[in-house]
Coordinates of all heavy atoms in Angstrom, one line a residue:
N1 N 71.9 97.2 87.8 CA 70.9 98.2 87.8 C 71.1 99.1 86.7 O 71.8 100.2 86.8 CB 70.9 99.0 89.2 CG 70.5 98.1 90.3 OD1 69.5 97.4 90.2 ND2 71.2 98.2 91.4
W2 N 70.7 98.7 85.5 CA 70.9 99.5 84.3 C 70.1 100.9 84.4 O 69.0 100.9 84.9 CB 70.3 98.8 83.1 CG 71.1 97.6 82.7 CD1 70.7 96.3 83.0 CD2 72.4 97.5 82.1 NE1 71.7 95.4 82.5 CE2 72.7 96.1 81.9 CE3 73.2 98.5 81.6 CZ2 73.9 95.7 81.3 CZ3 74.4 98.0 80.9 CH2 74.7 96.7 80.8
I3 N 70.8 101.9 84.0 CA 70.2 103.3 84.0 C 69.9 103.6 82.5 O 70.8 103.5 81.6 CB 71.2 104.3 84.5 CG1 71.7 103.9 85.9 CG2 70.6 105.7 84.5 CD1 70.6 104.1 87.0
Y4 N 68.7 104.1 82.3 CA 68.3 104.5 81.0 C 68.8 105.8 80.6 O 68.7 106.8 81.4 CB 66.7 104.5 80.9 CG 66.2 105.0 79.6 CD1 66.1 104.2 78.5 CD2 65.8 106.3 79.4 CE1 65.6 104.6 77.3 CE2 65.3 106.8 78.2 CZ 65.2 105.9 77.1 OH 64.7 106.4 76.0
N5 N 69.4 105.9 79.4 CA 69.9 107.2 78.8 C 69.1 107.4 77.5 O 69.0 106.5 76.7 CB 71.4 107.2 78.5 CG 72.2 107.5 79.7 OD1 71.7 107.9 80.8 ND2 73.5 107.4 79.6
N6 N 68.7 108.6 77.3 CA 67.9 108.9 76.1 C 68.8 108.9 74.8 O 68.3 109.0 73.7 CB 67.2 110.2 76.2 CG 66.0 110.3 75.3 OD1 65.4 109.3 75.0 ND2 65.7 111.5 74.9
S7 N 70.1 108.9 75.0 CA 71.1 109.0 73.9 C 72.3 108.1 74.2 O 72.5 107.7 75.3 CB 71.6 110.5 73.9 OG 72.6 110.7 72.9
T8 N 73.0 107.7 73.1 CA 74.1 106.9 73.3 C 75.4 107.7 73.7 O 76.4 107.1 74.1 CB 74.5 106.1 71.9 OG1 74.6 107.1 70.9 CG2 73.4 105.1 71.6
I9 N 75.3 109.0 73.6 CA 76.4 109.8 74.0 C 75.9 111.1 74.7 O 74.8 111.4 74.7 CB 77.3 110.2 72.8 CG1 76.5 111.1 71.8 CG2 78.0 109.0 72.1 CD1 77.3 111.7 70.8
H10 N 76.9 111.8 75.4 CA 76.5 113.1 75.9 C 76.4 114.1 74.8 O 77.2 114.1 73.9 CB 77.6 113.6 76.9 CG 77.8 112.7 78.1 ND1 76.8 112.6 79.1 CD2 78.8 111.9 78.5 CE1 77.2 111.8 80.0 NE2 78.4 111.3 79.7
K11 N 75.4 114.9 74.8 CA 75.1 115.8 73.6 C 76.3 116.7 73.3 O 76.6 117.1 72.2 CB 73.9 116.6 73.9 CG 72.6 115.8 73.9 CD 72.4 115.1 72.6 CE 71.1 114.4 72.6 NZ 70.9 113.4 71.5
N12 N 77.1 117.0 74.3 CA 78.3 117.9 74.1 C 79.5 117.2 73.5 O 80.4 117.8 73.1 CB 78.7 118.7 75.3 CG 79.1 117.7 76.5 OD1 78.8 116.6 76.4 ND2 79.8 118.3 77.4
D13 N 79.4 115.8 73.3 CA 80.4 115.0 72.8 C 80.2 114.8 71.3 O 81.0 114.1 70.7 CB 80.6 113.7 73.5 CG 81.1 113.9 74.9 OD1 81.6 115.0 75.2 OD2 80.9 113.0 75.7
I14 N 79.2 115.3 70.7 CA 78.9 115.0 69.3 C 80.0 115.6 68.4 O 80.3 116.8 68.6 CB 77.5 115.5 68.9 CG1 76.4 114.7 69.6 CG2 77.3 115.4 67.4 CD1 75.0 115.1 69.4
T15 N 80.6 114.9 67.5 CA 81.5 115.4 66.6 C 81.0 115.3 65.2 O 81.6 115.8 64.3 CB 82.9 114.7 66.7 OG1 82.7 113.3 66.5 CG2 83.5 114.9 68.1
S16 N 80.0 114.5 64.9 CA 79.5 114.3 63.6 C 78.1 113.8 63.6 O 77.6 113.4 64.7 CB 80.4 113.3 62.9 OG 80.1 113.2 61.5
D17 N 77.5 113.6 62.5 CA 76.1 113.1 62.4 C 76.1 111.6 62.6 O 77.1 110.9 62.5 CB 75.4 113.6 61.2 CG 76.1 113.1 59.9 OD1 77.2 112.5 60.0 OD2 75.5 113.2 58.9
G18 N 75.0 111.0 62.7 CA 74.7 109.6 62.8 C 73.4 109.4 63.4 O 72.7 110.3 63.8
I19 N 73.1 108.1 63.6 CA 71.8 107.8 64.2 C 72.0 107.7 65.7 O 72.9 107.0 66.2 CB 71.3 106.4 63.7 CG1 71.0 106.6 62.2 CG2 70.1 105.9 64.4 CD1 70.7 105.3 61.5
D20 N 71.1 108.4 66.5 CA 71.2 108.3 67.9 C 70.1 107.4 68.4 O 69.0 107.4 67.8 CB 71.2 109.7 68.5 CG 71.7 109.7 69.9 OD1 72.3 108.6 70.4 OD2 71.7 110.7 70.6
C21 N 70.3 106.8 69.5 CA 69.2 105.9 70.0 C 69.4 105.8 71.5 O 70.5 106.1 72.0 CB 69.2 104.5 69.4 SG 70.6 103.5 69.9
P22 N 68.4 105.4 72.3 CA 68.6 105.2 73.7 C 69.5 104.1 74.0 O 69.7 103.2 73.2 CB 67.2 104.9 74.2 CG 66.3 105.3 73.1 CD 67.1 105.2 71.8
Q23 N 70.1 104.1 75.2 CA 70.9 103.0 75.6 C 70.8 102.9 77.2 O 70.4 103.8 77.8 CB 72.4 103.1 75.2 CG 73.2 104.1 76.0 CD 74.7 104.0 75.6 OE1 75.1 103.1 74.8 NE2 75.4 104.9 76.2
F24 N 71.1 101.7 77.7 CA 71.2 101.5 79.1 C 72.6 101.5 79.5 O 73.5 100.9 78.8 CB 70.5 100.2 79.5 CG 69.0 100.2 79.2 CD1 68.6 99.8 77.9 CD2 68.1 100.7 80.1 CE1 67.2 99.8 77.6 CE2 66.8 100.7 79.8 CZ 66.3 100.2 78.6
V25 N 72.9 102.1 80.7 CA 74.3 102.3 81.1 C 74.5 101.8 82.6 O 73.6 102.0 83.4 CB 74.8 103.8 81.0 CG1 76.1 104.0 81.5 CG2 74.6 104.3 79.6
F26 N 75.6 101.2 82.9 CA 75.9 100.9 84.2 C 77.4 101.4 84.4 O 78.3 100.8 83.9 CB 75.9 99.3 84.4 CG 76.3 98.9 85.8 CD1 75.5 99.1 86.9 CD2 77.5 98.2 86.0 CE1 75.9 98.7 88.2 CE2 77.8 97.7 87.2 CZ 77.1 98.0 88.3
T27 N 77.5 102.5 85.2 CA 78.8 103.1 85.4 C 79.5 102.5 86.6 O 78.9 102.4 87.7 CB 78.7 104.6 85.6 OG1 78.0 105.2 84.4 CG2 80.0 105.3 85.8
M28 N 80.8 102.1 86.4 CA 81.5 101.4 87.4 C 82.6 102.4 88.0 O 83.0 102.4 89.1 CB 82.1 100.1 86.9 CG 81.1 99.1 86.7 SD 81.7 97.7 85.7 CE 81.5 98.3 84.1
V29 N 83.2 103.1 87.0 CA 84.3 104.1 87.4 C 84.0 105.4 86.6 O 83.8 105.4 85.4 CB 85.7 103.6 87.1 CG1 86.7 104.7 87.3 CG2 86.0 102.3 87.9
D30 N 84.0 106.5 87.4 CA 83.9 107.8 86.7 C 84.6 108.8 87.7 O 84.1 109.1 88.7 CB 82.5 108.2 86.5 CG 82.4 109.5 85.7 OD1 83.3 110.4 85.8 OD2 81.4 109.7 84.9
T31 N 85.8 109.2 87.4 CA 86.6 110.0 88.3 C 86.0 111.4 88.5 O 86.1 111.9 89.6 CB 88.1 110.2 87.8 OG1 88.0 110.7 86.5 CG2 88.8 108.9 87.8
E32 N 85.3 111.9 87.5 CA 84.6 113.2 87.6 C 83.4 113.1 88.6 O 83.1 114.1 89.3 CB 84.1 113.7 86.3 CG 85.3 114.1 85.4 CD 84.8 114.7 84.1 OE1 83.5 114.9 83.9 OE2 85.6 115.0 83.2
R33 N 82.8 112.0 88.7 CA 81.6 111.8 89.6 C 81.9 111.0 90.9 O 81.0 110.7 91.6 CB 80.5 111.2 88.8 CG 80.0 112.1 87.7 CD 78.7 111.6 87.0 NE 78.9 110.2 86.6 CZ 77.9 109.4 86.3 NH1 76.6 109.8 86.4 NH2 78.1 108.2 85.8
N34 N 83.2 110.7 91.1 CA 83.6 110.0 92.3 C 82.9 108.6 92.4 O 82.6 108.2 93.5 CB 83.3 110.8 93.5 CG 84.6 111.1 94.3 OD1 85.7 110.7 93.9 ND2 84.5 111.7 95.4
I35 N 82.8 107.9 91.3 CA 82.3 106.6 91.3 C 83.4 105.6 91.1 O 84.2 105.8 90.2 CB 81.2 106.4 90.1 CG1 80.1 107.4 90.3 CG2 80.8 104.9 90.1 CD1 79.1 107.4 89.1
N36 N 83.5 104.6 92.0 CA 84.6 103.6 91.9 C 84.1 102.3 92.4 O 84.2 102.0 93.6 CB 85.8 104.1 92.6 CG 87.0 103.3 92.3 OD1 87.0 102.3 91.5 ND2 88.1 103.6 93.0
F37 N 83.6 101.5 91.5 CA 83.1 100.1 91.9 C 83.4 99.2 90.7 O 82.8 99.3 89.7 CB 81.6 100.1 92.2 CG 81.1 98.7 92.3 CD1 81.3 97.9 93.3 CD2 80.3 98.2 91.2 CE1 80.8 96.6 93.4 CE2 79.8 96.9 91.2 CZ 80.1 96.1 92.3
L38 N 84.3 98.3 90.9 CA 84.6 97.3 89.9 C 84.2 95.9 90.4 O 84.8 95.5 91.4 CB 86.1 97.3 89.5 CG 86.5 98.5 88.6 CD1 88.0 98.4 88.3 CD2 85.7 98.5 87.3
P39 N 83.3 95.2 89.8 CA 83.0 93.8 90.2 C 84.2 92.9 90.0 O 85.0 93.2 89.2 CB 81.8 93.4 89.3 CG 81.4 94.7 88.6 CD 82.5 95.7 88.7
D40 N 84.3 91.9 90.8 CA 85.4 90.9 90.7 C 85.7 90.5 89.3 O 86.8 90.3 88.8 CB 85.2 89.7 91.6 CG 85.3 90.1 93.1 OD1 85.9 91.2 93.4 OD2 84.9 89.3 93.9
C41 N 84.6 90.2 88.5 CA 84.8 89.7 87.2 C 85.5 90.7 86.3 O 86.3 90.4 85.4 CB 83.5 89.2 86.6 SG 82.2 90.4 86.4
V42 N 85.2 92.0 86.5 CA 85.8 93.1 85.7 C 87.3 93.3 86.2 O 88.1 93.5 85.3 CB 85.0 94.4 85.8 CG1 85.7 95.5 85.1 CG2 83.6 94.2 85.3
I43 N 87.5 93.1 87.4 CA 88.9 93.2 87.9 C 89.7 92.1 87.3 O 90.8 92.3 86.8 CB 89.0 93.1 89.5 CG1 88.4 94.4 90.1 CG2 90.4 92.9 90.0 CD1 88.1 94.3 91.6
N44 N 89.2 90.9 87.2 CA 89.9 89.7 86.6 C 90.1 90.0 85.1 O 91.2 89.7 84.6 CB 89.1 88.4 86.8 CG 89.1 88.0 88.2 OD1 89.9 88.4 89.0 ND2 88.1 87.2 88.6

């Protein structure tokens, strides 16, 4: 279930210029947001 993001990075993480574009994200682990799901293929 890809999630659409309008940017390739979080705006507060920008350290330099470059081309930004949308991307699709599927988060499996994020300790700040309490997400923890790793599919078997990723565990392997």
Side-chain angles (χ1 to χ4, degrees):
N1 292 318
W2 292 103
I3 305 290
Y4 175 82
N5 277 354
N6 202 32
S7 176
T8 56
I9 62 168
H10 297 291
K11 293 298 182 195
N12 59 343
D13 292 340
I14 293 175
T15 59
S16 185
D17 62 348
I19 294 173
D20 202 4
C21 73
Q23 75 173 356
F24 296 90
V25 177
F26 177 70
T27 302
M28 293 166 274
V29 173
D30 187 329
T31 55
E32 290 182 5
R33 297 188 304 163
N34 239 2
I35 299 170
N36 190 4
F37 165 75
L38 286 177
D40 289 342
C41 61
V42 177
I43 291 170
N44 292 336

